[in-house]
Amino acid sequence: MNQPGSPSPWSVVRSAVARWRWPPLALLCCGVTLMHSWVSGRLQLLMAPTFHGLVVGSGLALLAWSVTALTVSQPRRSIPWRAAVLVVCTSLLIVLAPPRGSFSMLARHRPPAQLDGLAAGFALPPEQRDLVDWVRLLRGTPQPQLFRGEPVQVKGFVLVTATGERHLAQLLVRCCLADATPVQLAVQWPADAPPLRQDQWVRVEGEMEVLDTPDGLQPVVIAHDVTAIPKPPQPFRT
Amino acid sequence: MALDHLSTSWSVFQALFLEAMPFLLIGVALATMARHWLPSGPVLQCLPDHPLLGPLTGAAMGFALPACECGNVPVARQLLASGSPLPTAMGFLFAAPVLNPIVLASTWAAFPDQLWLLWARPAAGLAMALVVASLLRLQQDNAILAPNLLRERGFHRPADAGSLLERSAGLIGSPSPGPVPLPSAGRGKSWRLSVLHGMDELVKLSSLLILGCGVAALLQTTLPRDWLLVVGQAPTLSVLALMLLAVVISVCSSVDAFLALGFASQVTPGALLAFLMLGPVIDLKSLGLYGTVFCRSAMVFVALACGMLTLLAGQWTNVLML
């Protein structure tokens, strides 16, 4: 039992914790997290390269700011220690738990990407067109059957659609994963294809076919060879 | 499946947080420099308090000080804390995320063939800033500003500038009754105080940014966007759907035009304008930051007012263009 008027153990711990230099520690952790995201290559999984420099510059600025704050004497003041604890914990979590999101899940929640403004792959030979080039080409022509029989060599991840079909897809990102939208091609997989789990990255070699379906002409890649590949360091188009 | 949801939300959270943090840092750094160098009080009080000139001046400051919504909240807060008139600070707060060269350039880059959007977006953003700032000006400071900001602001305002209630409550010129982060550094004060004050502010805003990004990331992976875009061609529903999307997606105003490009052909022109008009001002990521400027009831009022004005602008655009 505490004596009347004596502080409870919890309040002693709380006031001891509140006296730590939490704010500079929070900035330090935040700066380390930003730099770690860049050094470890995680930024490439999360945002367009245009913003990488901004993140690195901010990481350096945060480190400099925190070191400056740690070296100057601190006047007695009310510090936002709860906010700082949240920032420290979040920063540590970001470092410890890398982003392993499901691109398929993201893609299922998004409308198809609009491809205006992207460099066109019209002039490229068929085997040099990537998935986005193909989709742009097929969307842009009123006669997709003209491409029937052309060789296809594309990479992407396996997207399981809402109807259970397995398409080949890539994400298009303008800013960060929050704005990612999918670009996808229907694929007729060969019988001897390796087991295709959701989000598995594969390289598909085959030929373009255009099926006449009740919904209109439907381009589909007839895959002859499917090879599982590791996830690329930059897994989306920008 | 639940694990997939969680890990995808976590990835989106990281993307949002790491992308927004630099902009927040730029905003706080600008606010810290302003705090150190700006002659708080007399000069800022000379900025216009007029319901039209004030927001226009704030909007012009936004053009000269480009920042997206994460960066301009700390700057606007610093303007208010230093004694700037409410209409000017509000004009800056609500117009700067749209009316700045970076945002205008990205809008032009995304929609070079839709010239109407190039003038409609800044015009609608400015109109919204003017109306919301004028409406807020009708209220006393203590009815809309957050208590901590009100106390900081009290140090820099002349005693006769406050309401009778504020004066009798001792809010103007009185020492702070509660914990205030730090006394104002002001001109001539040491860099040490400015650095520490800026650090405390950045830490507080970062924690709010974390909460905002968390909510936005969770909603992004649970709310299928197709549901929103299904109503794409209905004049009113499309505007409402894109307003909701803008609030949920919480993307930086300097790149939201590229995102809008993704569904521009699926929605009405009014809905497109609504997305580009509301997103930079109100979104889940920045709502927490607004808590450092406004009290809760004022935040609800601002969100509703911006929502109503956006709906109106979207509807009129559809009437004129469909």
Side-chain angles (χ1 to χ4, degrees):
Chain A
M1 285 291 285
N2 288 327
Q3 294 296 321
S6 66
S8 67
W10 166 240
S11 65
V12 171
V13 171
R14 192 168 162 272
S15 60
V17 169
R19 277 199 297 272
W20 291 355
R21 287 189 169 190
W22 282 105
L25 183 64
L27 290 200
L28 186 70
C29 289
C30 209
V32 168
T33 302
L34 263 58
M35 295 306 291
H36 177 266
S37 304
W38 174 60
V39 172
S40 63
R42 288 185 196 172
L43 277 190
Q44 292 191 313
L45 304 173
L46 297 172
M47 65 184 72
T50 320
F51 295 93
H52 291 189
L54 207 55
V55 173
V56 174
S58 303
L60 291 173
L62 283 170
L63 291 178
W65 198 336
S66 62
V67 169
T68 308
L70 278 169
T71 50
V72 300
S73 64
Q74 309 264 330
R76 190 174 170 77
R77 69 193 199 280
S78 167
I79 60 167
W81 67 273
R82 288 185 191 85
V85 169
L86 179 64
V87 175
V88 169
C89 293
T90 307
S91 301
L92 290 178
L93 262 179
I94 290 176
V95 171
L96 294 175
R100 291 211 179 92
S102 163
F103 278 16
S104 281
M105 173 162 286
L106 268 182
R108 276 199 298 273
H109 282 75
R110 310 285 167 92
Q114 295 290 302
L115 302 174
D116 305 339
L118 288 183
F122 292 88
L124 293 172
E127 54 281 356
Q128 285 183 26
R129 291 177 200 141
D130 67 11
L131 194 146
V132 175
D133 292 329
W134 269 112
V135 174
R136 187 171 189 209
L137 200 57
L138 293 165
R139 276 192 206 166
T141 176
Q143 294 177 304
Q145 63 271 30
L146 292 177
F147 299 100
R148 189 174 271 154
E150 288 198 354
V152 177
Q153 290 179 22
V154 288
K155 287 184 289 188
F157 65 89
V158 176
L159 166 67
V160 181
T161 64
T163 54
E165 292 173 68
R166 288 171 195 274
H167 289 185
L168 191 69
Q170 275 201 356
L171 291 182
L172 184 69
V173 168
R174 308 278 185 177
C175 169
C176 68
L177 266 193
D179 69 64
T181 44
V183 181
Q184 54 189 297
L185 266 178
V187 178
Q188 202 172 84
W189 304 96
D192 60 345
L196 296 170
R197 56 185 170 79
Q198 176 173 280
D199 293 318
Q200 168 71 53
W201 278 80
V202 290
R203 181 172 55 240
V204 172
E205 292 180 25
E207 63 182 273
M208 185 57 67
E209 180 57 272
V210 179
L211 304 178
D212 201 357
T213 68
D215 297 330
L217 293 175
Q218 165 80 47
V220 59
V221 177
I222 309 293
H224 301 316
D225 186 39
V226 178
T227 316
I229 57 171
K231 188 177 185 174
Q234 168 83 59
F236 44 70
R237 271 283 294 261
T238 54
Chain B
M1 188 58 86
L3 203 63
D4 266 356
H5 258 119
L6 199 63
S7 61
T8 308
S9 297
W10 177 240
S11 300
V12 174
F13 167 81
Q14 289 196 26
L16 277 173
F17 178 67
L18 294 175
E19 195 258 335
M21 196 62 203
F23 293 101
L24 184 64
L25 176 65
I26 291 170
V28 174
L30 286 175
T32 302
M33 285 190 271
R35 186 182 184 84
H36 190 78
W37 278 313
L38 269 187
S40 59
V43 173
L44 284 183
Q45 284 155 22
C46 290
L47 289 170
D49 192 25
H50 190 269
L52 188 64
L53 286 180
L56 282 176
T57 308
M61 288 162 67
F63 201 84
L65 209 67
C68 70
E69 65 267 30
C70 296
N72 81 324
V73 173
V75 178
R77 188 184 187 281
Q78 184 54 43
L79 281 175
L80 285 166
S82 302
S84 161
L86 195 77
T88 304
M90 291 299 128
F92 177 82
L93 181 64
F94 296 121
V98 177
L99 269 177
N100 77 58
I102 297 172
V103 173
L104 296 180
S106 70
T107 309
W108 175 75
F111 297 99
D113 54 342
Q114 300 207 37
L115 288 177
W116 70 273
L117 207 54
L118 298 186
W119 63 262
R121 185 182 194 190
L126 181 62
M128 182 160 71
L130 284 173
V131 173
V132 177
S134 302
L135 289 173
L136 289 174
R137 185 178 175 272
L138 300 175
Q139 304 292 320
Q140 297 293 342
D141 283 5
N142 59 356
I144 56 173
L145 296 182
N148 271 345
L149 174 58
L150 202 57
R151 281 197 289 274
E152 287 182 56
R153 185 168 165 77
F155 286 120
H156 300 292
R157 293 178 65 203
D160 59 356
S163 67
L164 188 62
L165 186 65
E166 282 175 307
R167 271 177 274 163
S168 62
L171 281 169
I172 293 178
S174 66
S176 157
V180 175
L182 269 180
S184 167
R187 196 178 209 176
K189 296 289 173 60
S190 76
W191 262 109
R192 185 175 62 105
L193 286 181
S194 297
V195 164
L196 293 177
H197 185 277
M199 175 185 67
D200 287 356
E201 190 171 19
L202 182 57
V203 167
K204 274 191 285 189
L205 293 176
S206 302
S207 69
L208 296 170
L209 183 68
I210 287 170
L211 298 178
C213 291
V215 174
L218 273 177
L219 283 178
Q220 279 215 15
T221 46
T222 47
L223 198 67
R225 280 189 211 169
D226 281 345
W227 294 2
L228 298 175
L229 296 175
V230 156
V231 292
Q233 294 305 316
T236 305
L237 281 179
S238 67
V239 176
L240 286 171
L242 268 285
M243 284 168 59
L244 181 61
L245 182 64
V247 171
V248 169
I249 198 167
S250 301
V251 141
C252 171
S253 65
S254 52
V255 291
D256 61 354
F258 293 109
L259 176 60
L261 183 64
F263 43 74
S265 59
Q266 298 163 324
V267 298
T268 59
L272 191 60
L273 179 65
F275 179 85
L276 295 173
M277 185 177 163
L278 186 66
V281 181
I282 302 287
D283 64 37
L284 288 175
K285 186 179 67 179
S286 58
L287 273 182
L289 303 181
Y290 278 134
T292 61
V293 175
F294 297 115
C295 65
R296 201 165 295 171
S297 57
M299 273 175 65
V300 173
F301 173 79
V302 166
L304 286 177
C306 291
M308 294 291 288
L309 291 167
T310 307
L311 181 60
L312 207 59
Q315 293 275 48
W316 272 105
T317 307
N318 281 342
V319 167
L320 293 172
M321 296 189 67
L322 284 182

mmCIF file of all heavy atoms in Angstrom, chain B residues 55 58-69 71-73 75-76 88-104 125-126 129 253 280-281:
data_model
loop_
_atom_site.group_PDB
_atom_site.id
_atom_site.type_symbol
_atom_site.label_atom_id
_atom_site.label_comp_id
_atom_site.label_asym_id
_atom_site.label_seq_id
_atom_site.Cartn_x
_atom_site.Cartn_y
_atom_site.Cartn_z
ATOM 1 N N PRO B 55 -7.569 36.407 -47.460
ATOM 2 C CA PRO B 55 -7.331 35.118 -48.114
ATOM 3 C C PRO B 55 -6.537 35.251 -49.410
ATOM 4 O O PRO B 55 -5.722 34.375 -49.722
ATOM 5 C CB PRO B 55 -8.743 34.602 -48.407
ATOM 6 C CG PRO B 55 -9.606 35.290 -47.424
ATOM 7 C CD PRO B 55 -8.997 36.636 -47.181
ATOM 8 N N GLY B 58 -3.010 35.462 -48.412
ATOM 9 C CA GLY B 58 -2.558 34.130 -47.984
ATOM 10 C C GLY B 58 -2.308 33.226 -49.185
ATOM 11 O O GLY B 58 -1.324 32.490 -49.232
ATOM 12 N N ALA B 59 -3.224 33.303 -50.170
ATOM 13 C CA ALA B 59 -3.071 32.480 -51.371
ATOM 14 C C ALA B 59 -1.802 32.878 -52.129
ATOM 15 O O ALA B 59 -1.075 32.013 -52.641
ATOM 16 C CB ALA B 59 -4.292 32.618 -52.265
ATOM 17 N N ALA B 60 -1.533 34.189 -52.187
ATOM 18 C CA ALA B 60 -0.324 34.653 -52.878
ATOM 19 C C ALA B 60 0.921 34.151 -52.148
ATOM 20 O O ALA B 60 1.923 33.775 -52.773
ATOM 21 C CB ALA B 60 -0.316 36.175 -52.944
ATOM 22 N N MET B 61 0.856 34.120 -50.812
ATOM 23 C CA MET B 61 1.993 33.587 -50.049
ATOM 24 C C MET B 61 2.191 32.105 -50.368
ATOM 25 O O MET B 61 3.316 31.610 -50.438
ATOM 26 C CB MET B 61 1.759 33.758 -48.543
ATOM 27 C CG MET B 61 1.868 35.207 -48.089
ATOM 28 S SD MET B 61 1.108 35.465 -46.479
ATOM 29 C CE MET B 61 2.175 34.531 -45.433
ATOM 30 N N GLY B 62 1.086 31.395 -50.571
ATOM 31 C CA GLY B 62 1.163 29.978 -50.927
ATOM 32 C C GLY B 62 1.854 29.783 -52.258
ATOM 33 O O GLY B 62 2.578 28.812 -52.461
ATOM 34 N N PHE B 63 1.624 30.719 -53.191
ATOM 35 C CA PHE B 63 2.245 30.619 -54.503
ATOM 36 C C PHE B 63 3.762 30.794 -54.391
ATOM 37 O O PHE B 63 4.530 30.183 -55.119
ATOM 38 C CB PHE B 63 1.659 31.678 -55.441
ATOM 39 C CG PHE B 63 1.849 31.348 -56.887
ATOM 40 C CD1 PHE B 63 0.959 30.508 -57.542
ATOM 41 C CD2 PHE B 63 2.919 31.835 -57.591
ATOM 42 C CE1 PHE B 63 1.136 30.171 -58.868
ATOM 43 C CE2 PHE B 63 3.114 31.515 -58.930
ATOM 44 C CZ PHE B 63 2.218 30.672 -59.568
ATOM 45 N N ALA B 64 4.164 31.658 -53.450
ATOM 46 C CA ALA B 64 5.603 31.918 -53.298
ATOM 47 C C ALA B 64 6.284 30.868 -52.432
ATOM 48 O O ALA B 64 7.501 30.751 -52.430
ATOM 49 C CB ALA B 64 5.802 33.292 -52.669
ATOM 50 N N LEU B 65 5.498 30.118 -51.680
ATOM 51 C CA LEU B 65 6.054 29.165 -50.707
ATOM 52 C C LEU B 65 5.446 27.793 -50.968
ATOM 53 O O LEU B 65 4.603 27.320 -50.223
ATOM 54 C CB LEU B 65 5.664 29.643 -49.302
ATOM 55 C CG LEU B 65 6.567 29.322 -48.143
ATOM 56 C CD1 LEU B 65 7.893 30.039 -48.257
ATOM 57 C CD2 LEU B 65 5.880 29.713 -46.848
ATOM 58 N N PRO B 66 5.858 27.160 -52.071
ATOM 59 C CA PRO B 66 5.154 25.947 -52.468
ATOM 60 C C PRO B 66 5.275 24.817 -51.448
ATOM 61 O O PRO B 66 6.376 24.449 -51.062
ATOM 62 C CB PRO B 66 5.820 25.554 -53.792
ATOM 63 C CG PRO B 66 7.018 26.385 -53.934
ATOM 64 C CD PRO B 66 6.996 27.472 -52.935
ATOM 65 N N ALA B 67 4.147 24.318 -51.006
ATOM 66 C CA ALA B 67 4.131 23.173 -50.090
ATOM 67 C C ALA B 67 2.830 22.429 -50.311
ATOM 68 O O ALA B 67 1.831 23.036 -50.679
ATOM 69 C CB ALA B 67 4.215 23.638 -48.645
ATOM 70 N N CYS B 68 2.855 21.112 -50.105
ATOM 71 C CA CYS B 68 1.597 20.388 -50.223
ATOM 72 C C CYS B 68 0.921 20.411 -48.856
ATOM 73 O O CYS B 68 1.365 21.091 -47.948
ATOM 74 C CB CYS B 68 1.835 18.965 -50.718
ATOM 75 S SG CYS B 68 2.631 17.945 -49.502
ATOM 76 N N GLU B 69 -0.159 19.636 -48.727
ATOM 77 C CA GLU B 69 -0.991 19.796 -47.528
ATOM 78 C C GLU B 69 -0.256 19.434 -46.236
ATOM 79 O O GLU B 69 -0.560 19.984 -45.183
ATOM 80 C CB GLU B 69 -2.299 19.019 -47.662
ATOM 81 C CG GLU B 69 -2.150 17.507 -47.733
ATOM 82 C CD GLU B 69 -2.060 17.018 -49.177
ATOM 83 O OE1 GLU B 69 -1.558 17.787 -50.019
ATOM 84 O OE2 GLU B 69 -2.462 15.879 -49.429
ATOM 85 N N GLY B 71 2.937 19.982 -45.617
ATOM 86 C CA GLY B 71 3.902 21.019 -45.290
ATOM 87 C C GLY B 71 3.274 22.338 -44.923
ATOM 88 O O GLY B 71 3.845 23.100 -44.135
ATOM 89 N N ASN B 72 2.089 22.632 -45.473
ATOM 90 C CA ASN B 72 1.580 23.983 -45.241
ATOM 91 C C ASN B 72 0.855 24.124 -43.904
ATOM 92 O O ASN B 72 0.682 25.231 -43.418
ATOM 93 C CB ASN B 72 0.711 24.443 -46.419
ATOM 94 C CG ASN B 72 -0.678 23.905 -46.344
ATOM 95 O OD1 ASN B 72 -0.866 22.778 -45.909
ATOM 96 N ND2 ASN B 72 -1.638 24.697 -46.749
ATOM 97 N N VAL B 73 0.450 22.996 -43.284
ATOM 98 C CA VAL B 73 -0.223 23.109 -41.979
ATOM 99 C C VAL B 73 0.718 23.715 -40.923
ATOM 100 O O VAL B 73 0.343 24.667 -40.240
ATOM 101 C CB VAL B 73 -0.801 21.744 -41.520
ATOM 102 C CG1 VAL B 73 -1.344 21.842 -40.109
ATOM 103 C CG2 VAL B 73 -1.890 21.292 -42.466
ATOM 104 N N VAL B 75 3.245 25.633 -41.388
ATOM 105 C CA VAL B 75 3.530 27.032 -41.727
ATOM 106 C C VAL B 75 2.330 27.912 -41.363
ATOM 107 O O VAL B 75 2.483 28.987 -40.766
ATOM 108 C CB VAL B 75 3.863 27.172 -43.238
ATOM 109 C CG1 VAL B 75 4.120 28.621 -43.597
ATOM 110 C CG2 VAL B 75 5.086 26.331 -43.580
ATOM 111 N N ALA B 76 1.130 27.435 -41.712
ATOM 112 C CA ALA B 76 -0.075 28.212 -41.373
ATOM 113 C C ALA B 76 -0.222 28.349 -39.860
ATOM 114 O O ALA B 76 -0.597 29.402 -39.344
ATOM 115 C CB ALA B 76 -1.306 27.531 -41.963
ATOM 116 N N THR B 88 -5.849 35.815 -43.543
ATOM 117 C CA THR B 88 -4.619 35.592 -44.311
ATOM 118 C C THR B 88 -4.087 34.180 -44.075
ATOM 119 O O THR B 88 -3.746 33.462 -45.024
ATOM 120 C CB THR B 88 -3.532 36.608 -43.898
ATOM 121 O OG1 THR B 88 -4.067 37.917 -44.069
ATOM 122 C CG2 THR B 88 -2.292 36.455 -44.748
ATOM 123 N N ALA B 89 -4.051 33.779 -42.806
ATOM 124 C CA ALA B 89 -3.535 32.438 -42.489
ATOM 125 C C ALA B 89 -4.430 31.364 -43.085
ATOM 126 O O ALA B 89 -3.950 30.350 -43.604
ATOM 127 C CB ALA B 89 -3.426 32.265 -40.983
ATOM 128 N N MET B 90 -5.759 31.591 -43.040
ATOM 129 C CA MET B 90 -6.682 30.591 -43.586
ATOM 130 C C MET B 90 -6.569 30.533 -45.111
ATOM 131 O O MET B 90 -6.678 29.470 -45.720
ATOM 132 C CB MET B 90 -8.129 30.928 -43.183
ATOM 133 C CG MET B 90 -8.404 30.751 -41.716
ATOM 134 S SD MET B 90 -8.152 29.047 -41.201
ATOM 135 C CE MET B 90 -7.061 29.236 -39.833
ATOM 136 N N GLY B 91 -6.380 31.691 -45.714
ATOM 137 C CA GLY B 91 -6.183 31.728 -47.167
ATOM 138 C C GLY B 91 -4.973 30.909 -47.548
ATOM 139 O O GLY B 91 -4.998 30.135 -48.498
ATOM 140 N N PHE B 92 -3.911 31.049 -46.757
ATOM 141 C CA PHE B 92 -2.700 30.266 -47.012
ATOM 142 C C PHE B 92 -2.974 28.774 -46.810
ATOM 143 O O PHE B 92 -2.633 27.936 -47.653
ATOM 144 C CB PHE B 92 -1.576 30.724 -46.079
ATOM 145 C CG PHE B 92 -0.318 29.922 -46.237
ATOM 146 C CD1 PHE B 92 0.576 30.202 -47.259
ATOM 147 C CD2 PHE B 92 -0.031 28.873 -45.383
ATOM 148 C CE1 PHE B 92 1.724 29.442 -47.428
ATOM 149 C CE2 PHE B 92 1.114 28.112 -45.540
ATOM 150 C CZ PHE B 92 1.998 28.411 -46.568
ATOM 151 N N LEU B 93 -3.639 28.464 -45.685
ATOM 152 C CA LEU B 93 -3.871 27.059 -45.334
ATOM 153 C C LEU B 93 -4.679 26.333 -46.409
ATOM 154 O O LEU B 93 -4.349 25.198 -46.790
ATOM 155 C CB LEU B 93 -4.603 26.985 -43.982
ATOM 156 C CG LEU B 93 -4.914 25.604 -43.441
ATOM 157 C CD1 LEU B 93 -3.636 24.845 -43.145
ATOM 158 C CD2 LEU B 93 -5.754 25.699 -42.175
ATOM 159 N N PHE B 94 -5.736 26.988 -46.905
ATOM 160 C CA PHE B 94 -6.637 26.282 -47.817
ATOM 161 C C PHE B 94 -6.270 26.459 -49.294
ATOM 162 O O PHE B 94 -6.648 25.629 -50.120
ATOM 163 C CB PHE B 94 -8.088 26.732 -47.581
ATOM 164 C CG PHE B 94 -8.587 26.381 -46.218
ATOM 165 C CD1 PHE B 94 -9.031 27.357 -45.337
ATOM 166 C CD2 PHE B 94 -8.593 25.069 -45.792
ATOM 167 C CE1 PHE B 94 -9.477 27.034 -44.069
ATOM 168 C CE2 PHE B 94 -9.027 24.731 -44.532
ATOM 169 C CZ PHE B 94 -9.469 25.710 -43.661
ATOM 170 N N ALA B 95 -5.582 27.542 -49.635
ATOM 171 C CA ALA B 95 -5.285 27.764 -51.058
ATOM 172 C C ALA B 95 -3.898 27.247 -51.450
ATOM 173 O O ALA B 95 -3.708 26.812 -52.591
ATOM 174 C CB ALA B 95 -5.393 29.248 -51.390
ATOM 175 N N ALA B 96 -2.954 27.293 -50.509
ATOM 176 C CA ALA B 96 -1.568 26.945 -50.873
ATOM 177 C C ALA B 96 -1.412 25.539 -51.458
ATOM 178 O O ALA B 96 -0.629 25.353 -52.395
ATOM 179 C CB ALA B 96 -0.654 27.113 -49.654
ATOM 180 N N PRO B 97 -2.157 24.516 -50.950
ATOM 181 C CA PRO B 97 -1.950 23.182 -51.525
ATOM 182 C C PRO B 97 -2.363 23.077 -52.995
ATOM 183 O O PRO B 97 -1.915 22.188 -53.699
ATOM 184 C CB PRO B 97 -2.836 22.274 -50.659
ATOM 185 C CG PRO B 97 -3.074 23.027 -49.417
ATOM 186 C CD PRO B 97 -3.058 24.468 -49.788
ATOM 187 N N VAL B 98 -3.252 23.982 -53.448
ATOM 188 C CA VAL B 98 -3.679 23.936 -54.857
ATOM 189 C C VAL B 98 -2.969 25.014 -55.659
ATOM 190 O O VAL B 98 -2.508 24.784 -56.773
ATOM 191 C CB VAL B 98 -5.205 24.137 -54.957
ATOM 192 C CG1 VAL B 98 -5.630 24.158 -56.418
ATOM 193 C CG2 VAL B 98 -5.928 23.018 -54.237
ATOM 194 N N LEU B 99 -2.902 26.209 -55.053
ATOM 195 C CA LEU B 99 -2.345 27.350 -55.784
ATOM 196 C C LEU B 99 -0.845 27.443 -55.574
ATOM 197 O O LEU B 99 -0.364 28.375 -54.933
ATOM 198 C CB LEU B 99 -2.996 28.635 -55.276
ATOM 199 C CG LEU B 99 -4.256 29.088 -56.008
ATOM 200 C CD1 LEU B 99 -4.809 30.322 -55.354
ATOM 201 C CD2 LEU B 99 -3.980 29.338 -57.474
ATOM 202 N N ASN B 100 -0.132 26.479 -56.046
ATOM 203 C CA ASN B 100 1.316 26.645 -56.015
ATOM 204 C C ASN B 100 1.902 26.107 -57.315
ATOM 205 O O ASN B 100 1.297 25.268 -57.990
ATOM 206 C CB ASN B 100 1.937 26.051 -54.740
ATOM 207 C CG ASN B 100 2.046 24.560 -54.756
ATOM 208 O OD1 ASN B 100 2.675 23.987 -55.625
ATOM 209 N ND2 ASN B 100 1.418 23.923 -53.785
ATOM 210 N N PRO B 101 3.045 26.602 -57.714
ATOM 211 C CA PRO B 101 3.561 26.295 -59.051
ATOM 212 C C PRO B 101 3.748 24.809 -59.318
ATOM 213 O O PRO B 101 3.506 24.348 -60.439
ATOM 214 C CB PRO B 101 4.922 27.006 -59.077
ATOM 215 C CG PRO B 101 4.974 27.875 -57.902
ATOM 216 C CD PRO B 101 3.929 27.479 -56.941
ATOM 217 N N ILE B 102 4.133 24.048 -58.276
ATOM 218 C CA ILE B 102 4.374 22.615 -58.488
ATOM 219 C C ILE B 102 3.073 21.901 -58.842
ATOM 220 O O ILE B 102 3.000 21.099 -59.773
ATOM 221 C CB ILE B 102 5.017 21.991 -57.231
ATOM 222 C CG1 ILE B 102 6.381 22.633 -56.990
ATOM 223 C CG2 ILE B 102 5.152 20.495 -57.370
ATOM 224 C CD1 ILE B 102 7.034 22.242 -55.689
ATOM 225 N N VAL B 103 2.024 22.227 -58.085
ATOM 226 C CA VAL B 103 0.731 21.573 -58.321
ATOM 227 C C VAL B 103 0.171 21.976 -59.687
ATOM 228 O O VAL B 103 -0.348 21.140 -60.438
ATOM 229 C CB VAL B 103 -0.251 21.927 -57.179
ATOM 230 C CG1 VAL B 103 -1.644 21.406 -57.489
ATOM 231 C CG2 VAL B 103 0.249 21.341 -55.871
ATOM 232 N N LEU B 104 0.294 23.255 -60.016
ATOM 233 C CA LEU B 104 -0.220 23.705 -61.315
ATOM 234 C C LEU B 104 0.554 23.041 -62.455
ATOM 235 O O LEU B 104 -0.041 22.621 -63.461
ATOM 236 C CB LEU B 104 -0.126 25.227 -61.421
ATOM 237 C CG LEU B 104 -0.996 25.994 -60.416
ATOM 238 C CD1 LEU B 104 -0.829 27.493 -60.606
ATOM 239 C CD2 LEU B 104 -2.458 25.606 -60.558
ATOM 240 N N GLY B 125 -10.138 26.157 -56.144
ATOM 241 C CA GLY B 125 -9.398 26.112 -54.882
ATOM 242 C C GLY B 125 -9.370 27.469 -54.204
ATOM 243 O O GLY B 125 -9.550 27.582 -52.988
ATOM 244 N N LEU B 126 -9.169 28.511 -55.024
ATOM 245 C CA LEU B 126 -9.132 29.866 -54.467
ATOM 246 C C LEU B 126 -10.508 30.272 -53.940
ATOM 247 O O LEU B 126 -10.620 30.841 -52.845
ATOM 248 C CB LEU B 126 -8.655 30.855 -55.545
ATOM 249 C CG LEU B 126 -8.540 32.311 -55.111
ATOM 250 C CD1 LEU B 126 -7.518 32.457 -53.994
ATOM 251 C CD2 LEU B 126 -8.142 33.202 -56.284
ATOM 252 N N ALA B 129 -11.090 28.617 -50.691
ATOM 253 C CA ALA B 129 -10.300 29.249 -49.621
ATOM 254 C C ALA B 129 -10.951 30.565 -49.189
ATOM 255 O O ALA B 129 -11.041 30.862 -47.989
ATOM 256 C CB ALA B 129 -8.874 29.497 -50.106
ATOM 257 N N SER B 253 -0.758 16.550 -52.890
ATOM 258 C CA SER B 253 -1.399 17.368 -53.925
ATOM 259 C C SER B 253 -0.487 17.609 -55.122
ATOM 260 O O SER B 253 -0.964 17.951 -56.198
ATOM 261 C CB SER B 253 -1.854 18.708 -53.339
ATOM 262 O OG SER B 253 -0.740 19.464 -52.925
ATOM 263 N N PRO B 280 -6.522 18.028 -51.901
ATOM 264 C CA PRO B 280 -5.413 18.788 -51.313
ATOM 265 C C PRO B 280 -5.774 19.475 -49.988
ATOM 266 O O PRO B 280 -4.879 19.882 -49.250
ATOM 267 C CB PRO B 280 -5.115 19.855 -52.376
ATOM 268 C CG PRO B 280 -5.650 19.297 -53.636
ATOM 269 C CD PRO B 280 -6.841 18.496 -53.251
ATOM 270 N N VAL B 281 -7.058 19.631 -49.733
ATOM 271 C CA VAL B 281 -7.444 20.370 -48.516
ATOM 272 C C VAL B 281 -7.871 19.419 -47.402
ATOM 273 O O VAL B 281 -7.465 19.579 -46.248
ATOM 274 C CB VAL B 281 -8.579 21.367 -48.839
ATOM 275 C CG1 VAL B 281 -8.963 22.153 -47.604
ATOM 276 C CG2 VAL B 281 -8.151 22.311 -49.951
#
